[in-house]
Amino acid sequence: TYCRAVGVEYLHVQDIPVRRWLQQEMEPIRSRPEFPPERKIEILKQLIDAELFESFTHSRYMGQKRFSLEGGESLIPALHQYLETAGETGAIEVVMGMAHRGRLNVLANILRKPYTMIFHEFEDNLAPDPVGGDGDVKYHRGYSSDYVTREGATIHLSLTANPSHLEAVDPVVEGRTRAKQRRRDDTDFRRTVLPLLIHGDAAFAGQGLVAETLNLSQLKGYRTGGTVHIVVNNQIGFTTLPGEARSSRYPTDIAKLVEAPIVHVHGDDPEAVCYVVDLALRFRQKFGRDVVIDLLCYRKHGHNEGDEPAFTQPLMYQNIKNHPSVREIY
């Protein structure tokens, strides 16, 4: 249950019912559910979509910064699963925040932002007479759309604009969520409007804003009913390895501050990733508290597509170069 594609930390949670619930969910199936063939085909299609978007953009817009998701493509099936589970548990709206990594892929494959709009932004078209400046770049922008689940439920999805600084978007998402919950009269259980935060590993451990946001999460004046945090952990900051960037073992250790269960999952196993996301959101809907997913993956290119990563991590990038993609493995 705890030593294969999924590793779980929950013994720091003081609440015995929480620990028992997690055990009852994971141990009977050894954290390995049996997915029907049609579900597996669905996951494969989602991985193909994720990979094709990146390979097309890489060949068509050489050297353009896009902060690609290559190495972490499992995030796309993970988000599909999140929205499916959200629909099943009665949610009608999701407010998302994320950093740059994989943002364009998420816009294309989850929010269904038209490709024409995405690629138009690659073409350096300057808007005539911009009022108040028009300098924001394609991987800072937000978007909103409706997502229809397998069961036919419609979920309104909004990706909050993130004007650069990494985790700066976290409290903004929580505030927007709380306002939307109040608007929809969802202030008792807070289960119909959900916040979802996607982080980078170095920023999650390194920015004080993360601890501040966690610290407010259970307070009466700030709570939003718990947040699912997905940390896209490519084991490297800008060019810094974890051993030189933080004192804790995992980038997610800061979440122990609020006794959030932490699930580490292997990004090359998309079925395990989908299982963990489903578990995390059902946990959030039942207990109304934060839960963290550490999606352990890698980053195929440098910090952005103009950097050469082999200068600073030669051994790691030798391994990455010979490593098949998530889609190929699946």
Side-chain angles (χ1 to χ4, degrees):
T1 302
Y2 302 108
C3 307
R4 291 158 75 187
V6 177
V8 197
E9 295 182 89
Y10 62 84
L11 291 182
H12 57 278
V13 182
Q14 302 290 326
D15 245 347
I16 290 173
V18 169
R19 302 208 302 251
R20 292 289 175 266
W21 186 87
L22 287 164
Q23 287 161 352
Q24 282 154 13
E25 287 289 321
M26 295 182 294
E27 291 180 4
I29 54 167
R30 303 275 187 269
S31 292
R32 255 309 352 147
E34 246 331 296
F35 283 26
E38 57 273 18
R39 180 76 185 94
K40 295 184 180 202
I41 291 166
E42 218 172 49
I43 292 172
L44 180 60
K45 281 180 177 166
Q46 291 159 3
L47 290 171
I48 292 169
D49 288 345
E51 192 178 309
L52 271 176
F53 176 84
E54 299 295 359
S55 56
F56 173 80
T57 324
H58 194 56
S59 58
R60 181 70 181 75
Y61 301 102
M62 285 288 290
Q64 275 252 30
K65 287 184 189 179
R66 65 179 201 281
F67 296 95
S68 81
L69 191 57
E70 285 161 285
E73 289 97 338
S74 286
L75 180 65
I76 297 300
L79 294 179
H80 280 290
Q81 180 63 62
Y82 180 95
L83 292 165
E84 293 294 339
T85 306
E88 285 165 21
T89 57
I92 48 177
E93 191 164 354
V94 173
V95 184
M96 278 173 74
M98 70 183 295
H100 304 349
R101 173 93 29 224
R103 189 183 191 92
L104 296 175
N105 207 315
V106 169
L107 283 167
N109 289 314
I110 303 294
L111 287 108
R112 303 274 180 237
K113 182 175 180 178
Y115 290 118
T116 46
M117 284 175 78
I118 293 173
F119 296 131
H120 178 75
E121 288 167 13
F122 274 97
E123 305 283 0
D124 291 331
N125 296 293
L126 289 171
D129 312 317
V131 179
D134 188 43
D136 228 353
V137 287
K138 52 190 170 288
Y139 42 81
H140 288 173
R141 293 197 177 124
Y143 193 73
S144 63
S145 63
D146 286 339
Y147 181 98
V148 181
T149 69
R150 241 177 284 133
E151 304 295 316
T154 301
I155 293 177
H156 184 68
L157 187 54
S158 46
L159 178 62
T160 307
N162 188 8
S164 211
H165 213 64
L166 305 171
E167 303 292 334
V169 78
D170 300 359
V172 180
V173 166
E174 300 296 345
R176 283 186 76 194
T177 304
R178 197 174 155 93
K180 286 176 180 236
Q181 286 171 344
R182 188 177 302 163
R183 234 182 207 176
R184 291 190 183 269
D185 212 17
D186 180 30
T187 51
D188 291 339
F189 301 108
R190 303 186 185 275
R191 286 187 193 134
T192 56
V193 184
L194 312 178
L196 169 63
L197 289 174
I198 302 165
H199 311 267
D201 51 317
F204 195 73
Q207 274 190 265
L209 197 73
V210 176
E212 291 172 34
T213 307
L214 286 168
N215 227 332
L216 295 171
S217 67
Q218 293 296 323
L219 299 183
K220 198 175 171 202
Y222 296 89
R223 61 171 163 241
T224 53
T227 305
V228 174
H229 303 265
I230 301 176
V231 179
V232 180
N233 182 358
N234 50 44
Q235 308 172 69
I236 202 168
F238 177 26
T239 56
T240 314
L241 289 170
E244 288 156 352
R246 62 172 187 262
S247 302
S248 60
R249 172 171 297 224
Y250 299 111
T252 50
D253 286 342
I254 189 71
K256 291 179 179 172
L257 162 81
V258 290
E259 294 182 21
I262 299 163
V263 190
H264 307 277
V265 62
H266 193 338
D268 274 352
D269 187 341
E271 285 185 20
V273 173
C274 288
Y275 158 70
V276 159
V277 170
D278 175 65
L279 178 76
L281 184 50
R282 286 189 296 108
F283 172 87
R284 183 264 178 215
Q285 294 289 56
K286 184 171 174 64
F287 294 104
R289 47 199 286 177
D290 287 52
V291 55
V292 179
I293 297 165
D294 175 18
L295 177 63
L296 196 79
C297 54
Y298 59 94
R299 185 177 82 201
K300 192 175 170 185
H301 304 285
H303 173 67
N304 63 54
E305 284 60 35
D307 296 330
E308 174 47 74
F311 291 158
T312 46
Q313 271 80 28
L315 298 178
M316 187 181 198
Y317 275 87
Q318 198 56 50
N319 287 338
I320 288 172
K321 206 169 89 184
N322 303 320
H323 187 74
S325 72
V326 183
R327 174 198 54 85
E328 274 178 76
I329 292 168
Y330 192 53

